[in-house]
Amino acid sequence: MKYKDDFFKMEIIEGFAVESEMKRVWAAQMKVLSEIIRICDKYNITYYADYGTLLGAVRHKGFVPWDDDIDICLKRADYMKLLHVLSKELPAFYSVNSCYTNVNHRQPFSSLGNFAMYPVPEHIKKQFYDCPYVVGVDIYPLDYMPYDDDMAQLQQSMYEIVYNVACQLDEIREQKDIQKYINNIEQMCNITLQDNDLLRNQLMKLYDNIASIYTEEESDRLTQFLRMAQMKEGTFYYMKEWYDSTIKMKFMDMEINVPCGYHEILTTLYGDYMNPVILTSAHEYPFYKRQKLYNTRQTLV
C-alpha cells in the first residue's frame, strides 16, 4: 500500500480537522488490516467490519473523519481460528494480543498491533509510514444466544458475574474476599479455579467459554457479550441472518467485508447512522494521546 505525500497532509473532512499525525495512524492501521485480510483469505476465515469501521465504510467510504481506530468482528469459530494462525503468519514484531496468547492481557477482546510496546523502533516506524505510535486493529468475537429468552438471560448473567470479578480482581484481593468469589464461580460453573497469578486469565477464558456455549443451530441471534457487560444496556443482539454473507465496500484505498445486514446493524448501534455526529467515540480521542504524553515525559527527563 503506497500513498502520495499529499495523503499525509492535514485535511478538513466534513468540517473536522484530520491532522497529519492521524493520517499516518490511519495508514499504519490499514496496513495491519491488510495483513489480517490476507490471512483470512488464506484460511477461508470470514471477518466483518464493525463499529466505527463499518459506519465509515458505509457512510464515508473510509474512516469516519473523527475516528482513530479500526474494528472488525468474527463469529466465534473464525475468531478462534484467526487467533491461532496470526502469529505463525506474521513477522515476529507484530503483537497478537488476547487472553490466549498473553496471560497478562486484560481486554475482553483481542487485537493485532504493529509492535508490542511504545516507543516504536525506527525500523518499524519506516515500515508503517513513519507512524510513531503502536497501532493496530481491534478484533471482537460474535457469539450465539439461544432461542429461549430465559436461557439467554442466564447465559448473560453468568458472563457478567465472571467478567465483573475479572475486572475487579485487584480490588477484591485488597478486600480479602477473593475466596468467596472463587467459590461462587466454581459452584455456578461446576469448575475448579486456581487462586494464583493466572487467576484473571482463567476468568477471562471462562467468560469466553460461557459466551460460546450455544451453536448456530440453537440460536437465531448473535451478540457481543462484552458490550452488554460494559455498557449496562440490558440485552443487546443482532439477528444472525444479518451476518449470513458479506459485501465488499470501499474503505480508503482498500475493499473490506461488511455484513449483508449492515443497515440493520448500524441502526441497532447508532439509530439514524447517516446523520454524522462529531466525536462520539467510546474512548478518548486520539487513542495515542497517552503514548504521546509518555514521549514528552521521556524528552523532559
Side-chain angles (χ1 to χ4, degrees), residues 151-206:
M151 296 305 294
Q153 183 58 55
L154 176 61
Q155 182 187 22
Q156 179 182 338
S157 297
M158 291 174 65
Y159 181 98
E160 290 181 358
I161 287 169
V162 180
Y163 171 84
N164 288 331
V165 173
C167 290
Q168 300 167 22
L169 190 59
D170 293 337
E171 293 89 337
I172 293 171
R173 284 197 184 281
E174 287 180 5
Q175 297 166 6
K176 304 188 185 303
D177 284 339
I178 188 62
Q179 195 56 54
K180 179 182 72 174
Y181 285 89
I182 288 176
N183 292 342
N184 289 342
I185 291 173
E186 287 180 332
Q187 184 175 3
M188 177 180 72
C189 298
N190 192 27
I191 60 163
T192 299
L193 295 169
Q194 301 298 319
D195 184 11
N196 55 30
D197 292 341
L198 299 180
L199 179 57
R200 179 178 280 104
N201 186 255
Q202 295 174 64
L203 293 170
M204 293 179 72
K205 290 178 179 177
L206 176 58

Side-chain angles (χ1 to χ4, degrees), residues 11 14 21 44 51 55 64 74 94 111-112 123 130 152 215 222 230 237 247 252 266 285 290-291:
E11 184 178 0
E14 297 198 18
E21 197 169 42
N44 196 29
Y51 290 116
L55 178 61
V64 175
L74 303 89
Y94 277 91
S111 65
L112 177 66
H123 71 282
D130 290 322
T215 65
L222 283 159
Q230 290 178 333
Y237 61 86
I247 301 168
M252 308 296 282
L266 288 172
Y285 178 96
R290 291 184 181 181
Q291 296 183 49

Side-chain angles (χ1 to χ4, degrees), residues 232-249:
K232 310 295 184 186
E233 60 182 345
T235 301
F236 171 87
Y237 61 86
Y238 308 116
M239 301 310 297
K240 71 178 183 182
E241 60 264 25
W242 299 348
Y243 288 90
D244 277 350
S245 61
T246 62
I247 301 168
K248 294 287 187 185
M249 281 195 179

Side-chain angles (χ1 to χ4, degrees), residues 49-290:
D50 201 15
Y51 290 116
T53 304
L54 175 58
L55 178 61
V58 172
R59 196 172 69 192
H60 304 275
K61 308 304 179 189
F63 282 92
V64 175
W66 40 91
D67 198 8
D68 61 355
D69 62 357
I70 290 180
D71 302 309
I72 64 170
C73 63
L74 303 89
K75 295 176 185 177
R76 175 64 65 171
D78 278 339
Y79 175 82
M80 298 302 295
K81 186 176 180 181
L82 179 63
L83 293 180
H84 179 71
V85 300
L86 276 176
S87 294
K88 67 180 182 180
E89 288 290 335
L90 291 167
F93 60 78
Y94 277 91
S95 177
V96 182
N97 309 300
S98 79
C99 65
Y100 304 99
T101 57
N102 180 355
V103 296
N104 295 314
H105 184 71
R106 293 198 175 193
Q107 294 286 4
F109 55 91
S110 301
S111 65
L112 177 66
N114 65 332
F115 197 66
M117 64 187 69
Y118 189 82
V120 179
E122 287 299 323
H123 71 282
I124 302 297
K125 290 181 190 178
K126 291 189 180 301
Q127 294 186 56
F128 290 89
Y129 312 102
D130 290 322
C131 174
Y133 304 115
V134 174
V135 304
V137 173
D138 290 336
I139 306 169
Y140 294 89
L142 285 170
D143 289 294
Y144 292 103
M145 297 176 69
Y147 290 109
D148 185 278
D149 287 339
D150 290 337
M151 296 305 294
Q153 183 58 55
L154 176 61
Q155 182 187 22
Q156 179 182 338
S157 297
M158 291 174 65
Y159 181 98
E160 290 181 358
I161 287 169
V162 180
Y163 171 84
N164 288 331
V165 173
C167 290
Q168 300 167 22
L169 190 59
D170 293 337
E171 293 89 337
I172 293 171
R173 284 197 184 281
E174 287 180 5
Q175 297 166 6
K176 304 188 185 303
D177 284 339
I178 188 62
Q179 195 56 54
K180 179 182 72 174
Y181 285 89
I182 288 176
N183 292 342
N184 289 342
I185 291 173
E186 287 180 332
Q187 184 175 3
M188 177 180 72
C189 298
N190 192 27
I191 60 163
T192 299
L193 295 169
Q194 301 298 319
D195 184 11
N196 55 30
D197 292 341
L198 299 180
L199 179 57
R200 179 178 280 104
N201 186 255
Q202 295 174 64
L203 293 170
M204 293 179 72
K205 290 178 179 177
L206 176 58
Y207 64 62
D208 253 17
N209 286 336
I210 292 170
S212 58
I213 289 173
Y214 292 98
T215 65
E216 182 176 2
E217 291 72 24
E218 299 170 299
S219 172
D220 60 352
R221 296 171 288 181
L222 283 159
T223 192
Q224 290 182 10
F225 282 94
L226 64 94
R227 180 183 175 93
M228 291 189 285
Q230 290 178 333
M231 306 295 287
K232 310 295 184 186
E233 60 182 345
T235 301
F236 171 87
Y237 61 86
Y238 308 116
M239 301 310 297
K240 71 178 183 182
E241 60 264 25
W242 299 348
Y243 288 90
D244 277 350
S245 61
T246 62
I247 301 168
K248 294 287 187 185
M249 281 195 179
K250 179 179 172 61
F251 190 87
M252 308 296 282
D253 291 335
M254 300 170 57
E255 282 192 335
I256 62 174
N257 287 351
V258 305
C260 59
Y262 65 85
H263 171 70
E264 292 82 1
I265 294 166
L266 288 172
T267 301
T268 300
L269 288 170
Y270 304 115
D272 182 14
Y273 64 88
M274 291 303 290
N275 180 31
V277 181
I278 292 178
L279 285 180
T280 54
S281 174
H283 59 258
E284 184 180 28
Y285 178 96
F287 74 85
Y288 53 78
K289 186 177 290 186
R290 291 184 181 181

